[in-house]
Structure formats: structure tokens, C-alpha cells
Amino acid sequence: RDVYKRQMVAVLDSVSGAVVVIGPDGEVENHNRAAETAQFLLAPGLANLQPLQRALAQVSEAAVHQHSQTSQRAFDPATDRTWLVEGVPLASGGAVVTVQEITEHERQIRELSRVKRLAEIGQMTAAIAHEIRNPLTGIRSAAQMIRQHPETSGEFIGMIEEEALKLNALCDDFLEFARPLQLNRDDHDLAEVVGRVCELMRPTYQVSGVGLLVEFTTDGRRIRVDERRMGQVAHNLLRNALQASTPGQTVFVRVRPGDFEVEDQGTGIDPADLPRLFSPFFTTKADGTGLGLCNARKIIDAHGGEIAVDSTPGRGTTFSIVIDRNVA
């Protein structure tokens, strides 16, 4: 038994993280070598690691007195250090608490996030330049034609106005993406919200020769949503489904009390594109800004819901939106 105990001590001492055994009374009964040299075992005034000590106290309290396994991150802004504190209750009473410094891991995550943000800014800049250049080219060409042939001004003024409206719509899309989202939530029947959008889109579907089949499975229960924003999500998904479809195909919309889905029989999405589908400014369309699905996800996230996609190239795509799982 002494040999086994010495082996266990040797194993624990070889662990880089601190391991502390807390007794039923909440006092430290034992610890490994890493914990012995760690500052967090000192008094708060001496250690200057109050965030870590608070996490240690809370995790120990939960493990010892509430008998629950828990974990907590502790961050010290003064030193830019981060620890992961985990507590596991013991059947005999007390608990084992481990403390692992994860500062480098957290810094790497922050650096990756920074690089990702820079990449998104680069994508945004390229997208804005590309999207603005096309209408500006049209406006410039129309202005040159008016200068060379003043008698055609009436025809080209209309073109200038049309291109200016496109620029204004682009600015609205970019501002919608950039500004914080504020919801105006009220009790609504999701079937009514989505149904209205379907009826508004139906003439466009008919002109394109694509069927639109709407199925409601609802009992009249209402959920708290922003009606305009949720309609915006439904409109975006229905427009995407239409663009992915060809004449003779059908788009299916299924609405339940707390969720709905939009399924098309179109071209599907390349599996390589799925991870980037909701990224800002990512688009596979020649005339797209890549903000539609990004803004849709932003709205769903703000409602505390979920949006998922299931797609098979050549067979179609289904977008599923869950707003309230309690009624879904």
C-alpha cells in the first residue's frame, strides 16, 4: 500500500497542473508539487491573484458542499493570465480540484480571432469596392453618353436614377450588417408571420415558373418575436430558394408553432462552401453581397434561436430555423 501511495504521489507530482485535495470541511488536505509552488495557495493579499482564488473558492464550494462537478475560467487582467479551475466531488466527502494555466492557449485563440477579423475586413473591403464599382460604372457611362448626345438625356437619366437606387440599397445592406441589432419583440403566431411573406413572394415564384407549397402545423400558440425581422429572415430564405430553383421545381415551406424550414429542389451547396455559408461577404452569386444569410443568422441569434442547413449538391437545400424549442 505504501508503494502504491508513493507511486500515486509521483504521478501527481509529474502533472504540470496543480492538483488539490479538499476535505469535507473545505480545508486543503493535500496537494501535488505544482500546487505547492503555485501562488494561489498563498493569502490573497500576498498572491495578487484574486480572480483565480475566487474561482478556486467557488469551484471548491460547489464540489464539496453541493456535490456537483463544475469548472470555471479565471482571468487576471493585471497579468493577462488565464486558468481553468475544475472540481470533482469525492464519494467519501471533500473534492479534488485541479488548476491548469491556459494563458498561451487563450492568447492563441485571441490571435486567431484577430486574424479572422482582419480577413473579414479584407473581404468586406473587396466586396464593397466590387459592389459599388458596378453601379458607378453605369452612372459614368450614362453621364458620358449625355455629354456626347444631349438629346438622349431623358433615357440615360432613368439609368442614372436606377443605379443610384442600387447604391442606396447596398448602403442599407452594409449599415444593417454593421449596426447593433435591436429587436421589437411581441407575441405573434409564426405561421402568420411566415405566411404573409410567402403570399408576398408567390407572384414572383409564379413568374419564374417555380411552385411554392406552404404547410402549416400550428395550434395558434404565439411566441415572442420581432415580426419585421423574422419576416426579413423568411424573405431572404425564400428568395435564395427561388434563385437556386429552375422552372418546374417546387419550394416547400413548413411552419410549426416554434420553428419553420424552407426546402428547395435546386442545385444544392458545395460541401466545401458550407462552413463559410454564414460568413459576412461570402457569396457564390455573381450579383450577391454575401450579407443575406449573415444578417439572417444575426437575427436568429438575437432571438436566442438556431439556424441550420442541410444540402446535397444536385438535390436541393433545406434551411431549418428554431425560434422556441418549448413549442417546437
Side-chain angles (χ1 to χ4, degrees), residues 118-133 174 281:
L118 289 175
E120 289 179 350
I121 290 173
Q123 288 179 323
M124 178 183 69
T125 303
I128 291 175
H130 174 75
E131 294 298 332
I132 290 179
R133 183 180 289 119
F174 292 137
F281 307 105

Side-chain angles (χ1 to χ4, degrees), residues 2-316:
D2 290 340
V3 172
Y4 174 76
K5 184 176 181 180
R6 286 196 298 270
Q7 289 177 338
M8 287 298 298
V9 171
V11 170
L12 291 175
D13 283 342
S14 68
V15 176
S16 60
V19 180
V20 181
V21 178
I22 308 293
D25 57 358
E27 297 295 327
V28 175
E29 289 189 348
N30 209 340
H31 54 75
N32 67 347
R33 187 173 299 165
E36 184 177 350
T37 58
Q39 287 181 300
F40 68 81
L41 288 178
L42 301 176
L46 298 175
N48 195 29
L49 296 174
Q50 288 90 340
L52 174 56
Q53 290 179 329
R54 284 196 296 269
L56 181 62
Q58 292 169 1
V59 169
S60 299
E61 170 70 19
V64 174
H65 299 294
Q66 301 174 20
H67 307 290
S68 63
Q69 182 173 340
T70 185
S71 63
Q72 192 174 132
R73 273 179 168 79
F75 174 68
D76 182 14
T79 59
D80 189 30
R81 296 174 66 187
T82 308
W83 299 266
L84 177 62
V85 184
E86 298 180 292
V88 179
L90 297 174
S92 58
V96 174
V97 178
T98 60
V99 180
Q100 182 73 38
E101 184 164 359
I102 55 173
T103 300
E104 288 305 317
H105 176 69
E106 292 291 308
R107 288 173 180 171
Q108 289 173 4
I109 291 177
R110 290 202 300 268
E111 179 62 17
L112 287 174
S113 298
R114 187 185 70 85
V115 172
K116 182 179 179 181
R117 285 196 300 272
L118 289 175
E120 289 179 350
I121 290 173
Q123 288 179 323
M124 178 183 69
T125 303
I128 291 175
H130 174 75
E131 294 298 332
I132 290 179
R133 183 180 289 119
N134 291 337
L136 284 179
T137 300
I139 291 173
R140 181 182 180 186
S141 298
Q144 289 175 340
M145 291 299 297
I146 292 174
R147 177 180 295 175
Q148 296 171 7
H149 306 282
E151 69 277 8
T152 63
S153 60
E155 174 185 352
F156 288 103
I157 284 176
M159 181 185 296
I160 291 174
E161 289 177 342
E162 182 180 348
E163 296 301 316
L165 289 174
K166 289 182 181 179
L167 285 173
N168 188 65
L170 281 173
C171 290
D172 288 341
D173 286 343
F174 292 137
L175 288 173
E176 182 74 15
F177 167 75
R179 67 167 59 100
L181 187 63
Q182 294 183 342
L183 297 181
N184 182 22
R185 302 177 73 164
D186 205 346
D187 292 333
H188 292 282
D189 186 336
L190 192 59
E192 294 179 358
V193 176
V194 177
R196 275 193 291 269
V197 177
C198 291
E199 291 309 308
L200 288 173
M201 291 288 293
R202 192 176 294 281
T204 306
Y205 270 72
Q206 291 173 343
V207 170
S208 300
V210 177
L212 179 60
L213 181 60
V214 184
E215 301 175 0
F216 297 112
T217 305
T218 179
D219 53 9
R221 281 183 290 179
R222 305 168 78 83
I223 60 175
R224 292 191 63 79
V225 297
D226 185 317
E227 181 182 18
R228 184 178 71 84
R229 297 289 189 182
M230 200 55 58
Q232 182 181 341
V233 172
H235 182 272
N236 180 272
L237 296 181
L238 284 166
R239 183 184 60 195
N240 287 352
L242 177 60
Q243 293 173 346
S245 303
T246 56
Q249 294 181 335
T250 301
V251 171
F252 301 89
V253 180
R254 304 178 183 91
V255 189
R256 290 168 288 270
D259 66 289
F260 70 96
E261 63 183 23
V262 178
E263 176 188 356
D264 65 62
Q265 301 171 320
T267 54
I269 301 170
D270 190 318
D273 292 335
L274 284 175
R276 305 171 58 195
L277 197 60
F278 296 100
S279 299
F281 307 105
F282 172 77
T283 181
T284 57
K285 303 174 186 176
D287 59 347
T289 63
L291 290 176
L293 286 177
C294 179
N295 281 329
R297 185 172 192 172
K298 184 178 177 181
I299 292 170
I300 298 302
D301 287 345
H303 280 82
E306 300 174 5
I307 181 169
V309 57
D310 181 27
S311 184
T312 302
R315 297 184 60 181

